[in-house]
Amino acid sequence: MLGLAAVFAVGCSGTSWHVPKGQSHRFSEARATCRKLTDDDGGAMHDDKFEQCMKRRGFRKERFYDGIGFKL
């Protein structure tokens, strides 16, 4: 039971981004732009602002079921 909970927690944490096929170049450009827009002068990253910036550009965090072929 504990193992199942660990797998679920790791799957839900989703630190990577979902990049649709053929969109890797656009994703790279969006990531670079969002980093420039959301980094402090001292280089500190603001993850919440970065994520909002990426979402405005049409990207979202990877979900654990993205790779299994159906949508929930």
Side-chain angles (χ1 to χ4, degrees):
M1 184 68 172
L2 183 60
L4 181 59
V7 169
F8 184 72
V10 170
C12 290
S13 65
T15 57
S16 63
W17 290 89
H18 175 71
V19 181
K21 290 182 181 179
Q23 297 293 314
S24 59
H25 181 70
R26 191 172 73 82
F27 173 78
S28 296
E29 288 178 345
R31 185 176 57 191
T33 300
C34 288
R35 290 236 185 259
K36 289 177 186 175
L37 292 173
T38 60
D39 283 355
D40 275 344
D41 291 334
M45 180 71 177
H46 295 280
D47 292 332
D48 55 338
K49 291 180 182 179
F50 177 77
E51 190 167 331
Q52 291 172 2
C53 181
M54 291 297 286
K55 285 181 179 179
R56 283 193 302 271
R57 284 160 176 73
F59 294 100
R60 62 172 168 76
K61 291 282 190 159
E62 188 79 28
R63 296 180 296 228
F64 75 97
Y65 55 82
D66 281 336
I68 57 178
F70 64 90
K71 297 179 181 180
L72 297 176

Short mmCIF file of all heavy atoms in Angstrom, two decimals:
data_model
loop_
_atom_site.label_atom_id
_atom_site.label_comp_id
_atom_site.label_asym_id
_atom_site.label_seq_id
_atom_site.Cartn_x
_atom_site.Cartn_y
_atom_site.Cartn_z
N MET A 1 0.82 -1.20 0.00
CA MET A 1 0.00 0.00 0.00
C MET A 1 0.86 1.25 0.00
O MET A 1 0.58 2.20 -0.70
CB MET A 1 -0.93 -0.04 1.22
CG MET A 1 -1.89 1.11 1.27
SD MET A 1 -3.06 0.93 -0.07
CE MET A 1 -4.19 2.18 0.33
N LEU A 2 1.93 1.25 0.80
CA LEU A 2 2.82 2.40 0.86
C LEU A 2 3.50 2.63 -0.49
O LEU A 2 3.65 3.76 -0.92
CB LEU A 2 3.87 2.20 1.96
CG LEU A 2 4.83 3.36 2.19
CD1 LEU A 2 4.06 4.61 2.58
CD2 LEU A 2 5.83 3.02 3.26
N GLY A 3 3.86 1.56 -1.17
CA GLY A 3 4.48 1.68 -2.49
C GLY A 3 3.56 2.33 -3.50
O GLY A 3 3.97 3.15 -4.30
N LEU A 4 2.28 1.97 -3.45
CA LEU A 4 1.30 2.55 -4.36
C LEU A 4 1.15 4.04 -4.08
O LEU A 4 1.07 4.85 -5.01
CB LEU A 4 -0.05 1.85 -4.21
CG LEU A 4 -1.17 2.35 -5.11
CD1 LEU A 4 -0.78 2.21 -6.57
CD2 LEU A 4 -2.44 1.58 -4.83
N ALA A 5 1.14 4.42 -2.82
CA ALA A 5 1.04 5.84 -2.46
C ALA A 5 2.26 6.61 -2.96
O ALA A 5 2.14 7.74 -3.43
CB ALA A 5 0.89 6.00 -0.95
N ALA A 6 3.43 6.01 -2.87
CA ALA A 6 4.66 6.67 -3.34
C ALA A 6 4.63 6.87 -4.86
O ALA A 6 4.98 7.93 -5.35
CB ALA A 6 5.88 5.85 -2.94
N VAL A 7 4.17 5.86 -5.58
CA VAL A 7 4.07 5.97 -7.04
C VAL A 7 3.07 7.07 -7.41
O VAL A 7 3.33 7.88 -8.29
CB VAL A 7 3.65 4.62 -7.67
CG1 VAL A 7 3.27 4.79 -9.13
CG2 VAL A 7 4.76 3.60 -7.52
N PHE A 8 1.95 7.11 -6.72
CA PHE A 8 0.94 8.13 -6.99
C PHE A 8 1.49 9.52 -6.70
O PHE A 8 1.29 10.45 -7.47
CB PHE A 8 -0.31 7.86 -6.14
CG PHE A 8 -1.43 8.81 -6.43
CD1 PHE A 8 -2.14 8.72 -7.61
CD2 PHE A 8 -1.76 9.80 -5.53
CE1 PHE A 8 -3.17 9.60 -7.89
CE2 PHE A 8 -2.78 10.69 -5.80
CZ PHE A 8 -3.50 10.59 -6.99
N ALA A 9 2.21 9.68 -5.58
CA ALA A 9 2.77 10.98 -5.22
C ALA A 9 3.79 11.45 -6.25
O ALA A 9 3.79 12.61 -6.65
CB ALA A 9 3.40 10.91 -3.83
N VAL A 10 4.63 10.56 -6.70
CA VAL A 10 5.63 10.91 -7.71
C VAL A 10 4.94 11.26 -9.01
O VAL A 10 5.28 12.24 -9.68
CB VAL A 10 6.64 9.76 -7.91
CG1 VAL A 10 7.52 10.02 -9.12
CG2 VAL A 10 7.50 9.60 -6.67
N GLY A 11 3.93 10.51 -9.39
CA GLY A 11 3.20 10.78 -10.63
C GLY A 11 2.48 12.09 -10.60
O GLY A 11 2.39 12.78 -11.61
N CYS A 12 1.96 12.48 -9.46
CA CYS A 12 1.21 13.73 -9.36
C CYS A 12 2.10 14.95 -9.20
O CYS A 12 1.66 16.06 -9.44
CB CYS A 12 0.25 13.66 -8.18
SG CYS A 12 -1.10 12.52 -8.46
N SER A 13 3.33 14.74 -8.77
CA SER A 13 4.20 15.90 -8.55
C SER A 13 4.58 16.57 -9.86
O SER A 13 4.78 17.77 -9.90
CB SER A 13 5.44 15.49 -7.77
OG SER A 13 6.23 14.60 -8.52
N GLY A 14 4.69 15.82 -10.94
CA GLY A 14 4.89 16.32 -12.29
C GLY A 14 5.76 17.56 -12.43
O GLY A 14 5.25 18.65 -12.54
N THR A 15 7.06 17.40 -12.42
CA THR A 15 7.94 18.55 -12.53
C THR A 15 8.30 18.87 -13.97
O THR A 15 8.86 19.91 -14.24
CB THR A 15 9.23 18.34 -11.72
OG1 THR A 15 9.87 17.15 -12.19
CG2 THR A 15 8.93 18.22 -10.24
N SER A 16 7.97 17.98 -14.89
CA SER A 16 8.29 18.25 -16.29
C SER A 16 7.08 18.87 -17.00
O SER A 16 5.97 18.87 -16.49
CB SER A 16 8.72 16.96 -16.99
OG SER A 16 7.66 16.04 -17.01
N TRP A 17 7.32 19.38 -18.16
CA TRP A 17 6.29 20.04 -18.94
C TRP A 17 5.81 19.14 -20.06
O TRP A 17 6.59 18.41 -20.68
CB TRP A 17 6.83 21.34 -19.52
CG TRP A 17 7.05 22.36 -18.47
CD1 TRP A 17 8.18 22.54 -17.72
CD2 TRP A 17 6.11 23.31 -18.00
NE1 TRP A 17 7.99 23.56 -16.84
CE2 TRP A 17 6.73 24.05 -16.98
CE3 TRP A 17 4.80 23.62 -18.34
CZ2 TRP A 17 6.08 25.08 -16.30
CZ3 TRP A 17 4.16 24.65 -17.68
CH2 TRP A 17 4.79 25.36 -16.67
N HIS A 18 4.53 19.22 -20.37
CA HIS A 18 3.96 18.48 -21.49
C HIS A 18 4.22 19.29 -22.76
O HIS A 18 3.77 20.43 -22.88
CB HIS A 18 2.46 18.29 -21.29
CG HIS A 18 1.80 17.63 -22.46
ND1 HIS A 18 2.01 16.30 -22.76
CD2 HIS A 18 0.97 18.12 -23.40
CE1 HIS A 18 1.32 16.01 -23.84
NE2 HIS A 18 0.69 17.09 -24.25
N VAL A 19 4.96 18.70 -23.68
CA VAL A 19 5.28 19.36 -24.95
C VAL A 19 4.69 18.52 -26.08
O VAL A 19 5.16 17.42 -26.35
CB VAL A 19 6.82 19.50 -25.13
CG1 VAL A 19 7.13 20.22 -26.44
CG2 VAL A 19 7.44 20.21 -23.95
N PRO A 20 3.65 19.02 -26.72
CA PRO A 20 3.04 18.27 -27.83
C PRO A 20 4.06 18.01 -28.94
O PRO A 20 5.00 18.79 -29.13
CB PRO A 20 1.92 19.19 -28.31
CG PRO A 20 1.63 20.10 -27.17
CD PRO A 20 2.95 20.27 -26.46
N LYS A 21 3.84 16.94 -29.67
CA LYS A 21 4.73 16.60 -30.77
C LYS A 21 4.84 17.77 -31.75
O LYS A 21 3.85 18.41 -32.08
CB LYS A 21 4.23 15.37 -31.51
CG LYS A 21 4.37 14.10 -30.72
CD LYS A 21 3.89 12.91 -31.51
CE LYS A 21 4.02 11.67 -30.65
NZ LYS A 21 3.56 10.47 -31.34
N GLY A 22 6.06 18.05 -32.16
CA GLY A 22 6.30 19.13 -33.12
C GLY A 22 6.37 20.51 -32.49
O GLY A 22 6.50 21.49 -33.21
N GLN A 23 6.27 20.61 -31.18
CA GLN A 23 6.26 21.90 -30.51
C GLN A 23 7.52 22.16 -29.67
O GLN A 23 7.55 23.10 -28.89
CB GLN A 23 5.03 22.01 -29.60
CG GLN A 23 3.72 21.94 -30.33
CD GLN A 23 3.52 23.16 -31.21
OE1 GLN A 23 3.74 24.29 -30.79
NE2 GLN A 23 3.12 22.93 -32.45
N SER A 24 8.54 21.34 -29.83
CA SER A 24 9.73 21.47 -28.98
C SER A 24 10.45 22.81 -29.20
O SER A 24 10.94 23.41 -28.24
CB SER A 24 10.69 20.31 -29.18
OG SER A 24 11.10 20.24 -30.52
N HIS A 25 10.49 23.30 -30.43
CA HIS A 25 11.15 24.58 -30.69
C HIS A 25 10.37 25.73 -30.05
O HIS A 25 10.96 26.61 -29.41
CB HIS A 25 11.31 24.81 -32.19
CG HIS A 25 12.00 26.09 -32.52
ND1 HIS A 25 13.34 26.28 -32.28
CD2 HIS A 25 11.54 27.25 -33.06
CE1 HIS A 25 13.67 27.51 -32.65
NE2 HIS A 25 12.61 28.12 -33.13
N ARG A 26 9.05 25.70 -30.21
CA ARG A 26 8.21 26.73 -29.61
C ARG A 26 8.30 26.68 -28.07
O ARG A 26 8.33 27.70 -27.41
CB ARG A 26 6.75 26.55 -30.05
CG ARG A 26 5.86 27.73 -29.70
CD ARG A 26 4.47 27.60 -30.32
NE ARG A 26 3.65 26.60 -29.67
CZ ARG A 26 2.97 26.81 -28.54
NH1 ARG A 26 3.01 27.97 -27.94
NH2 ARG A 26 2.24 25.85 -28.02
N PHE A 27 8.37 25.45 -27.52
CA PHE A 27 8.52 25.29 -26.07
C PHE A 27 9.84 25.89 -25.60
O PHE A 27 9.88 26.60 -24.59
CB PHE A 27 8.46 23.81 -25.69
CG PHE A 27 8.76 23.56 -24.25
CD1 PHE A 27 7.81 23.81 -23.28
CD2 PHE A 27 10.00 23.09 -23.86
CE1 PHE A 27 8.09 23.60 -21.94
CE2 PHE A 27 10.29 22.87 -22.53
CZ PHE A 27 9.34 23.12 -21.57
N SER A 28 10.92 25.63 -26.31
CA SER A 28 12.23 26.17 -25.94
C SER A 28 12.22 27.70 -25.94
O SER A 28 12.77 28.33 -25.03
CB SER A 28 13.32 25.66 -26.88
OG SER A 28 13.45 24.28 -26.77
N GLU A 29 11.60 28.27 -26.96
CA GLU A 29 11.51 29.73 -27.03
C GLU A 29 10.66 30.29 -25.89
O GLU A 29 11.02 31.29 -25.27
CB GLU A 29 10.92 30.16 -28.36
CG GLU A 29 11.87 29.96 -29.53
CD GLU A 29 11.24 30.34 -30.86
OE1 GLU A 29 9.99 30.50 -30.93
OE2 GLU A 29 11.99 30.49 -31.83
N ALA A 30 9.54 29.64 -25.59
CA ALA A 30 8.66 30.08 -24.51
C ALA A 30 9.38 29.98 -23.17
O ALA A 30 9.29 30.88 -22.33
CB ALA A 30 7.38 29.26 -24.49
N ARG A 31 10.10 28.88 -22.96
CA ARG A 31 10.83 28.69 -21.70
C ARG A 31 11.88 29.77 -21.51
O ARG A 31 12.01 30.36 -20.44
CB ARG A 31 11.46 27.30 -21.66
CG ARG A 31 12.13 27.00 -20.33
CD ARG A 31 12.65 25.61 -20.26
NE ARG A 31 13.58 25.38 -21.34
CZ ARG A 31 14.06 24.20 -21.68
NH1 ARG A 31 13.69 23.14 -21.04
NH2 ARG A 31 14.91 24.08 -22.66
N ALA A 32 12.63 30.07 -22.56
CA ALA A 32 13.66 31.10 -22.47
C ALA A 32 13.04 32.47 -22.19
O ALA A 32 13.54 33.23 -21.35
CB ALA A 32 14.48 31.14 -23.77
N THR A 33 11.95 32.77 -22.87
CA THR A 33 11.28 34.05 -22.66
C THR A 33 10.74 34.16 -21.24
O THR A 33 10.93 35.18 -20.57
CB THR A 33 10.12 34.22 -23.67
OG1 THR A 33 10.67 34.19 -24.99
CG2 THR A 33 9.38 35.52 -23.45
N CYS A 34 10.09 33.11 -20.77
CA CYS A 34 9.51 33.13 -19.43
C CYS A 34 10.58 33.21 -18.35
O CYS A 34 10.39 33.87 -17.33
CB CYS A 34 8.61 31.91 -19.20
SG CYS A 34 7.06 32.01 -20.14
N ARG A 35 11.72 32.58 -18.58
CA ARG A 35 12.81 32.69 -17.61
C ARG A 35 13.29 34.14 -17.52
O ARG A 35 13.51 34.66 -16.44
CB ARG A 35 13.97 31.79 -17.99
CG ARG A 35 13.68 30.33 -17.83
CD ARG A 35 14.69 29.68 -16.94
NE ARG A 35 14.46 28.25 -16.88
CZ ARG A 35 13.84 27.65 -15.89
NH1 ARG A 35 13.40 28.33 -14.88
NH2 ARG A 35 13.67 26.35 -15.89
N LYS A 36 13.43 34.79 -18.66
CA LYS A 36 13.86 36.19 -18.66
C LYS A 36 12.84 37.09 -17.98
O LYS A 36 13.21 38.02 -17.27
CB LYS A 36 14.09 36.66 -20.10
CG LYS A 36 15.31 36.06 -20.74
CD LYS A 36 15.43 36.51 -22.18
CE LYS A 36 16.56 35.80 -22.87
NZ LYS A 36 16.62 36.13 -24.31
N LEU A 37 11.57 36.81 -18.19
CA LEU A 37 10.52 37.65 -17.63
C LEU A 37 10.31 37.44 -16.13
O LEU A 37 9.82 38.34 -15.45
CB LEU A 37 9.19 37.40 -18.36
CG LEU A 37 9.12 37.86 -19.80
CD1 LEU A 37 7.82 37.39 -20.44
CD2 LEU A 37 9.23 39.38 -19.88
N THR A 38 10.64 36.26 -15.62
CA THR A 38 10.30 35.95 -14.23
C THR A 38 11.51 35.84 -13.30
O THR A 38 11.32 35.68 -12.09
CB THR A 38 9.48 34.65 -14.14
OG1 THR A 38 10.24 33.56 -14.69
CG2 THR A 38 8.18 34.79 -14.90
N ASP A 39 12.73 35.91 -13.80
CA ASP A 39 13.91 35.87 -12.95
C ASP A 39 14.15 37.24 -12.33
O ASP A 39 13.96 38.27 -12.97
CB ASP A 39 15.16 35.47 -13.75
CG ASP A 39 15.23 33.99 -14.05
OD1 ASP A 39 14.36 33.26 -13.57
OD2 ASP A 39 16.15 33.59 -14.77
N ASP A 40 14.58 37.23 -11.07
CA ASP A 40 14.99 38.47 -10.41
C ASP A 40 16.33 38.92 -10.96
O ASP A 40 17.04 38.17 -11.63
CB ASP A 40 15.16 38.25 -8.91
CG ASP A 40 13.85 38.38 -8.15
OD1 ASP A 40 12.90 38.94 -8.72
OD2 ASP A 40 13.81 37.93 -7.00
N ASP A 41 16.71 40.14 -10.66
CA ASP A 41 18.02 40.65 -11.07
C ASP A 41 19.14 39.80 -10.50
O ASP A 41 20.17 39.64 -11.13
CB ASP A 41 18.19 42.11 -10.63
CG ASP A 41 17.28 43.04 -11.41
OD1 ASP A 41 16.92 42.70 -12.56
OD2 ASP A 41 16.94 44.11 -10.88
N GLY A 42 18.92 39.25 -9.31
CA GLY A 42 19.93 38.40 -8.68
C GLY A 42 19.93 36.97 -9.17
O GLY A 42 20.71 36.15 -8.72
N GLY A 43 19.06 36.64 -10.10
CA GLY A 43 19.01 35.30 -10.66
C GLY A 43 18.06 34.36 -9.95
O GLY A 43 18.00 33.18 -10.28
N ALA A 44 17.30 34.86 -8.97
CA ALA A 44 16.35 34.01 -8.26
C ALA A 44 15.15 33.70 -9.16
O ALA A 44 14.62 34.59 -9.81
CB ALA A 44 15.88 34.70 -6.98
N MET A 45 14.77 32.45 -9.18
CA MET A 45 13.66 32.00 -10.02
C MET A 45 12.36 32.04 -9.23
O MET A 45 12.31 31.62 -8.09
CB MET A 45 13.95 30.57 -10.48
CG MET A 45 12.91 29.97 -11.34
SD MET A 45 12.92 30.73 -12.95
CE MET A 45 11.68 29.76 -13.71
N HIS A 46 11.31 32.56 -9.84
CA HIS A 46 9.98 32.57 -9.23
C HIS A 46 9.14 31.53 -9.96
O HIS A 46 8.56 31.82 -11.01
CB HIS A 46 9.35 33.96 -9.34
CG HIS A 46 10.08 35.00 -8.56
ND1 HIS A 46 9.93 35.13 -7.20
CD2 HIS A 46 11.00 35.92 -8.92
CE1 HIS A 46 10.70 36.10 -6.76
NE2 HIS A 46 11.36 36.60 -7.78
N ASP A 47 9.08 30.32 -9.39
CA ASP A 47 8.41 29.20 -10.05
C ASP A 47 6.95 29.47 -10.36
O ASP A 47 6.46 29.10 -11.42
CB ASP A 47 8.53 27.93 -9.20
CG ASP A 47 9.96 27.42 -9.12
OD1 ASP A 47 10.73 27.67 -10.07
OD2 ASP A 47 10.29 26.77 -8.13
N ASP A 48 6.23 30.10 -9.44
CA ASP A 48 4.81 30.34 -9.67
C ASP A 48 4.59 31.29 -10.85
O ASP A 48 3.73 31.06 -11.70
CB ASP A 48 4.12 30.87 -8.42
CG ASP A 48 4.79 32.12 -7.86
OD1 ASP A 48 5.97 32.35 -8.15
OD2 ASP A 48 4.11 32.86 -7.12
N LYS A 49 5.39 32.32 -10.95
CA LYS A 49 5.27 33.26 -12.06
C LYS A 49 5.70 32.61 -13.37
O LYS A 49 5.11 32.84 -14.43
CB LYS A 49 6.09 34.52 -11.80
CG LYS A 49 5.52 35.37 -10.69
CD LYS A 49 6.37 36.60 -10.47
CE LYS A 49 5.83 37.44 -9.33
NZ LYS A 49 6.66 38.63 -9.09
N PHE A 50 6.76 31.78 -13.29
CA PHE A 50 7.23 31.07 -14.48
C PHE A 50 6.14 30.14 -15.00
O PHE A 50 5.86 30.12 -16.21
CB PHE A 50 8.50 30.27 -14.14
CG PHE A 50 9.01 29.46 -15.28
CD1 PHE A 50 9.70 30.06 -16.32
CD2 PHE A 50 8.80 28.09 -15.33
CE1 PHE A 50 10.18 29.30 -17.39
CE2 PHE A 50 9.27 27.33 -16.38
CZ PHE A 50 9.96 27.94 -17.41
N GLU A 51 5.51 29.41 -14.11
CA GLU A 51 4.45 28.48 -14.52
C GLU A 51 3.28 29.23 -15.15
O GLU A 51 2.74 28.81 -16.17
CB GLU A 51 3.98 27.66 -13.33
CG GLU A 51 3.08 26.52 -13.73
CD GLU A 51 2.85 25.53 -12.61
OE1 GLU A 51 3.72 25.37 -11.75
OE2 GLU A 51 1.77 24.90 -12.63
N GLN A 52 2.89 30.35 -14.59
CA GLN A 52 1.82 31.16 -15.16
C GLN A 52 2.19 31.66 -16.55
O GLN A 52 1.37 31.66 -17.48
CB GLN A 52 1.50 32.34 -14.25
CG GLN A 52 0.84 31.94 -12.96
CD GLN A 52 0.71 33.11 -12.00
OE1 GLN A 52 1.09 34.23 -12.31
NE2 GLN A 52 0.19 32.84 -10.82
N CYS A 53 3.43 32.07 -16.71
CA CYS A 53 3.92 32.55 -17.99
C CYS A 53 3.84 31.43 -19.05
O CYS A 53 3.39 31.65 -20.16
CB CYS A 53 5.36 33.05 -17.83
SG CYS A 53 6.11 33.70 -19.33
N MET A 54 4.28 30.22 -18.66
CA MET A 54 4.25 29.09 -19.59
C MET A 54 2.81 28.71 -19.94
O MET A 54 2.51 28.40 -21.09
CB MET A 54 4.98 27.89 -18.98
CG MET A 54 6.48 28.09 -18.86
SD MET A 54 7.32 28.29 -20.45
CE MET A 54 7.27 26.61 -21.06
N LYS A 55 1.92 28.77 -18.97
CA LYS A 55 0.51 28.45 -19.23
C LYS A 55 -0.10 29.45 -20.21
O LYS A 55 -0.88 29.07 -21.07
CB LYS A 55 -0.28 28.42 -17.93
CG LYS A 55 -0.02 27.18 -17.12
CD LYS A 55 -0.83 27.18 -15.84
CE LYS A 55 -0.58 25.92 -15.04
NZ LYS A 55 -1.36 25.90 -13.78
N ARG A 56 0.27 30.72 -20.08
CA ARG A 56 -0.24 31.73 -21.02
C ARG A 56 0.24 31.45 -22.44
O ARG A 56 -0.40 31.86 -23.40
CB ARG A 56 0.20 33.12 -20.59
CG ARG A 56 -0.60 33.68 -19.43
CD ARG A 56 -0.36 35.17 -19.23
NE ARG A 56 1.03 35.52 -19.01
CZ ARG A 56 1.62 35.56 -17.80
NH1 ARG A 56 0.94 35.26 -16.72
NH2 ARG A 56 2.88 35.90 -17.70
N ARG A 57 1.34 30.76 -22.56
CA ARG A 57 1.88 30.41 -23.88
C ARG A 57 1.41 29.04 -24.36
O ARG A 57 1.85 28.54 -25.37
CB ARG A 57 3.39 30.50 -23.84
CG ARG A 57 3.86 31.95 -23.86
CD ARG A 57 5.26 32.13 -23.37
NE ARG A 57 5.69 33.51 -23.49
CZ ARG A 57 5.27 34.52 -22.73
NH1 ARG A 57 4.40 34.30 -21.77
NH2 ARG A 57 5.71 35.75 -22.92
N GLY A 58 0.50 28.42 -23.59
CA GLY A 58 -0.14 27.19 -24.05
C GLY A 58 0.49 25.90 -23.56
O GLY A 58 0.12 24.83 -24.06
N PHE A 59 1.39 25.96 -22.60
CA PHE A 59 2.02 24.74 -22.09
C PHE A 59 1.53 24.48 -20.67
O PHE A 59 1.08 25.38 -19.98
CB PHE A 59 3.55 24.88 -22.10
CG PHE A 59 4.09 24.98 -23.49
CD1 PHE A 59 4.43 26.21 -24.02
CD2 PHE A 59 4.24 23.86 -24.28
CE1 PHE A 59 4.91 26.33 -25.31
CE2 PHE A 59 4.73 23.96 -25.58
CZ PHE A 59 5.06 25.20 -26.10
N ARG A 60 1.60 23.22 -20.26
CA ARG A 60 1.17 22.83 -18.93
C ARG A 60 2.11 21.77 -18.38
O ARG A 60 2.86 21.15 -19.13
CB ARG A 60 -0.26 22.31 -18.94
CG ARG A 60 -0.40 21.06 -19.81
CD ARG A 60 -1.78 20.46 -19.66
NE ARG A 60 -2.03 19.46 -20.66
CZ ARG A 60 -1.54 18.24 -20.67
NH1 ARG A 60 -0.74 17.84 -19.72
NH2 ARG A 60 -1.83 17.39 -21.63
N LYS A 61 2.02 21.58 -17.08
CA LYS A 61 2.84 20.56 -16.43
C LYS A 61 2.40 19.18 -16.92
O LYS A 61 1.23 18.95 -17.21
CB LYS A 61 2.69 20.62 -14.91
CG LYS A 61 3.30 21.84 -14.28
CD LYS A 61 4.78 21.67 -14.20
CE LYS A 61 5.38 22.78 -13.35
NZ LYS A 61 6.66 22.43 -12.83
N GLU A 62 3.35 18.27 -17.01
CA GLU A 62 3.08 16.88 -17.40
C GLU A 62 2.23 16.21 -16.33
O GLU A 62 2.48 16.37 -15.14
CB GLU A 62 4.41 16.14 -17.53
CG GLU A 62 4.31 14.76 -18.10
CD GLU A 62 4.15 14.74 -19.61
OE1 GLU A 62 4.62 15.67 -20.27
OE2 GLU A 62 3.56 13.78 -20.10
N ARG A 63 1.22 15.47 -16.75
CA ARG A 63 0.40 14.71 -15.82
C ARG A 63 0.76 13.25 -15.94
O ARG A 63 1.17 12.79 -17.01
CB ARG A 63 -1.08 14.93 -16.12
CG ARG A 63 -1.48 16.39 -15.89
CD ARG A 63 -2.92 16.62 -16.18
NE ARG A 63 -3.21 16.38 -17.59
CZ ARG A 63 -3.90 17.21 -18.36
NH1 ARG A 63 -4.37 18.32 -17.86
NH2 ARG A 63 -4.13 16.91 -19.62
N PHE A 64 0.60 12.50 -14.86
CA PHE A 64 1.04 11.11 -14.84
C PHE A 64 0.38 10.25 -15.91
O PHE A 64 0.93 9.28 -16.36
CB PHE A 64 0.85 10.49 -13.45
CG PHE A 64 -0.58 10.15 -13.12
CD1 PHE A 64 -1.05 8.87 -13.28
CD2 PHE A 64 -1.44 11.12 -12.63
CE1 PHE A 64 -2.36 8.56 -12.97
CE2 PHE A 64 -2.74 10.82 -12.31
CZ PHE A 64 -3.22 9.53 -12.48
N TYR A 65 -0.80 10.63 -16.39
CA TYR A 65 -1.51 9.81 -17.37
C TYR A 65 -1.31 10.29 -18.81
O TYR A 65 -1.87 9.71 -19.73
CB TYR A 65 -3.00 9.74 -17.04
CG TYR A 65 -3.68 11.08 -16.90
CD1 TYR A 65 -4.11 11.78 -18.01
CD2 TYR A 65 -3.87 11.65 -15.65
CE1 TYR A 65 -4.73 13.01 -17.88
CE2 TYR A 65 -4.50 12.87 -15.52
CZ TYR A 65 -4.93 13.54 -16.63
OH TYR A 65 -5.53 14.76 -16.51
N ASP A 66 -0.49 11.32 -19.04
CA ASP A 66 -0.28 11.82 -20.39
C ASP A 66 0.30 10.76 -21.32
O ASP A 66 -0.03 10.72 -22.49
CB ASP A 66 0.62 13.06 -20.40
CG ASP A 66 -0.13 14.32 -20.02
OD1 ASP A 66 -1.37 14.37 -20.19
OD2 ASP A 66 0.52 15.25 -19.52
N GLY A 67 1.17 9.92 -20.80
CA GLY A 67 1.85 8.95 -21.65
C GLY A 67 1.11 7.64 -21.83
O GLY A 67 1.59 6.76 -22.54
N ILE A 68 -0.08 7.47 -21.26
CA ILE A 68 -0.74 6.17 -21.36
C ILE A 68 -1.86 6.14 -22.37
O ILE A 68 -2.53 5.14 -22.52
CB ILE A 68 -1.22 5.68 -19.98
CG1 ILE A 68 -2.14 6.68 -19.31
CG2 ILE A 68 -0.04 5.36 -19.09
CD1 ILE A 68 -2.68 6.22 -17.97
N GLY A 69 -2.11 7.25 -23.06
CA GLY A 69 -2.99 7.22 -24.20
C GLY A 69 -4.46 7.56 -23.99
O GLY A 69 -5.25 7.36 -24.88
N PHE A 70 -4.83 8.06 -22.83
CA PHE A 70 -6.21 8.50 -22.67
C PHE A 70 -6.26 9.76 -21.81
O PHE A 70 -5.34 10.07 -21.10
CB PHE A 70 -7.11 7.41 -22.07
CG PHE A 70 -6.76 6.99 -20.68
CD1 PHE A 70 -7.32 7.63 -19.59
CD2 PHE A 70 -5.87 5.96 -20.46
CE1 PHE A 70 -7.00 7.25 -18.30
CE2 PHE A 70 -5.54 5.58 -19.18
CZ PHE A 70 -6.10 6.20 -18.10
N LYS A 71 -7.36 10.47 -21.94
CA LYS A 71 -7.51 11.73 -21.22
C LYS A 71 -8.54 11.56 -20.10
O LYS A 71 -9.56 10.92 -20.30
CB LYS A 71 -7.97 12.85 -22.17
CG LYS A 71 -6.97 13.14 -23.25
CD LYS A 71 -7.48 14.21 -24.18
CE LYS A 71 -6.47 14.46 -25.28
NZ LYS A 71 -6.90 15.48 -26.20
N LEU A 72 -8.24 12.15 -18.98
CA LEU A 72 -9.18 12.12 -17.85
C LEU A 72 -9.86 13.45 -17.71
O LEU A 72 -9.39 14.47 -18.01
CB LEU A 72 -8.43 11.80 -16.54
CG LEU A 72 -7.78 10.44 -16.47
CD1 LEU A 72 -7.01 10.29 -15.17
CD2 LEU A 72 -8.80 9.34 -16.58
#
